PDB file of all heavy atoms in Angstrom:
ATOM      1  N   ALA A 212      67.468  30.544  32.437  1.00 98.00           N
ATOM      2  CA  ALA A 212      66.769  29.328  32.010  1.00 98.00           C
ATOM      3  C   ALA A 212      67.807  28.241  31.748  1.00 98.00           C
ATOM      4  O   ALA A 212      68.969  28.537  31.447  1.00 98.00           O
ATOM      5  CB  ALA A 212      65.951  29.594  30.748  1.00 98.00           C
ATOM      6  N   PRO A 213      67.409  26.973  31.859  1.00 97.00           N
ATOM      7  CA  PRO A 213      68.372  25.871  31.695  1.00 97.00           C
ATOM      8  C   PRO A 213      68.702  25.547  30.245  1.00 97.00           C
ATOM      9  O   PRO A 213      67.862  25.659  29.358  1.00 97.00           O
ATOM     10  CB  PRO A 213      67.655  24.695  32.359  1.00 97.00           C
ATOM     11  CG  PRO A 213      66.205  24.999  32.173  1.00 97.00           C
ATOM     12  CD  PRO A 213      66.087  26.498  32.276  1.00 97.00           C
ATOM     13  N   VAL A 214      69.941  25.118  30.049  1.00 95.00           N
ATOM     14  CA  VAL A 214      70.398  24.589  28.767  1.00 95.00           C
ATOM     15  C   VAL A 214      70.606  23.092  28.959  1.00 95.00           C
ATOM     16  O   VAL A 214      71.262  22.668  29.920  1.00 95.00           O
ATOM     17  CB  VAL A 214      71.711  25.250  28.319  1.00 95.00           C
ATOM     18  CG1 VAL A 214      72.204  24.623  27.012  1.00 95.00           C
ATOM     19  CG2 VAL A 214      71.518  26.752  28.164  1.00 95.00           C
ATOM     20  N   ARG A 215      70.053  22.285  28.049  1.00 92.00           N
ATOM     21  CA  ARG A 215      70.075  20.833  28.219  1.00 92.00           C
ATOM     22  C   ARG A 215      70.943  20.146  27.163  1.00 92.00           C
ATOM     23  O   ARG A 215      71.080  20.625  26.040  1.00 92.00           O
ATOM     24  CB  ARG A 215      68.650  20.269  28.164  1.00 92.00           C
ATOM     25  CG  ARG A 215      67.755  20.825  29.267  1.00 92.00           C
ATOM     26  CD  ARG A 215      66.353  20.247  29.202  1.00 92.00           C
ATOM     27  NE  ARG A 215      65.487  20.832  30.219  1.00 92.00           N
ATOM     28  CZ  ARG A 215      65.399  20.392  31.465  1.00 92.00           C
ATOM     29  NH1 ARG A 215      66.111  19.342  31.838  1.00 92.00           N
ATOM     30  NH2 ARG A 215      64.605  20.979  32.336  1.00 92.00           N
ATOM     31  N   VAL A 221      70.632  18.991  32.531  1.00 94.00           N
ATOM     32  CA  VAL A 221      70.965  20.411  32.494  1.00 94.00           C
ATOM     33  C   VAL A 221      72.475  20.567  32.576  1.00 94.00           C
ATOM     34  O   VAL A 221      73.111  20.142  33.548  1.00 94.00           O
ATOM     35  CB  VAL A 221      70.281  21.161  33.655  1.00 94.00           C
ATOM     36  CG1 VAL A 221      70.763  22.615  33.708  1.00 94.00           C
ATOM     37  CG2 VAL A 221      68.767  21.117  33.487  1.00 94.00           C
ATOM     38  N   ILE A 222      73.066  21.159  31.539  1.00 91.00           N
ATOM     39  CA  ILE A 222      74.514  21.310  31.479  1.00 91.00           C
ATOM     40  C   ILE A 222      74.953  22.761  31.621  1.00 91.00           C
ATOM     41  O   ILE A 222      76.145  23.050  31.664  1.00 91.00           O
ATOM     42  CB  ILE A 222      75.065  20.753  30.151  1.00 91.00           C
ATOM     43  CG1 ILE A 222      74.375  21.425  28.949  1.00 91.00           C
ATOM     44  CG2 ILE A 222      74.909  19.252  30.102  1.00 91.00           C
ATOM     45  CD1 ILE A 222      74.976  21.041  27.613  1.00 91.00           C
ATOM     46  N   GLY A 223      73.992  23.670  31.698  1.00 94.00           N
ATOM     47  CA  GLY A 223      74.341  25.072  31.832  1.00 94.00           C
ATOM     48  C   GLY A 223      73.092  25.932  31.879  1.00 94.00           C
ATOM     49  O   GLY A 223      71.966  25.421  31.938  1.00 94.00           O
ATOM     50  N   LEU A 253      69.476  26.878  22.143  1.00 90.00           N
ATOM     51  CA  LEU A 253      70.816  26.405  22.468  1.00 90.00           C
ATOM     52  C   LEU A 253      70.787  24.916  22.848  1.00 90.00           C
ATOM     53  O   LEU A 253      71.668  24.156  22.459  1.00 90.00           O
ATOM     54  CB  LEU A 253      71.411  27.224  23.620  1.00 90.00           C
ATOM     55  CG  LEU A 253      72.847  26.874  24.043  1.00 90.00           C
ATOM     56  CD1 LEU A 253      73.786  26.854  22.848  1.00 90.00           C
ATOM     57  CD2 LEU A 253      73.347  27.858  25.096  1.00 90.00           C
ATOM     58  N   SER A 254      69.743  24.503  23.561  1.00 90.00           N
ATOM     59  CA  SER A 254      69.590  23.079  23.894  1.00 90.00           C
ATOM     60  C   SER A 254      69.465  22.247  22.623  1.00 90.00           C
ATOM     61  O   SER A 254      70.031  21.153  22.533  1.00 90.00           O
ATOM     62  CB  SER A 254      68.367  22.890  24.789  1.00 90.00           C
ATOM     63  OG  SER A 254      68.509  23.554  26.028  1.00 90.00           O
TER      64      SER A 254
END
Side-chain angles (χ1 to χ4, degrees):
V214 177
R215 299 180 183 274
V221 173
I222 56 173
L253 182 51
S254 297

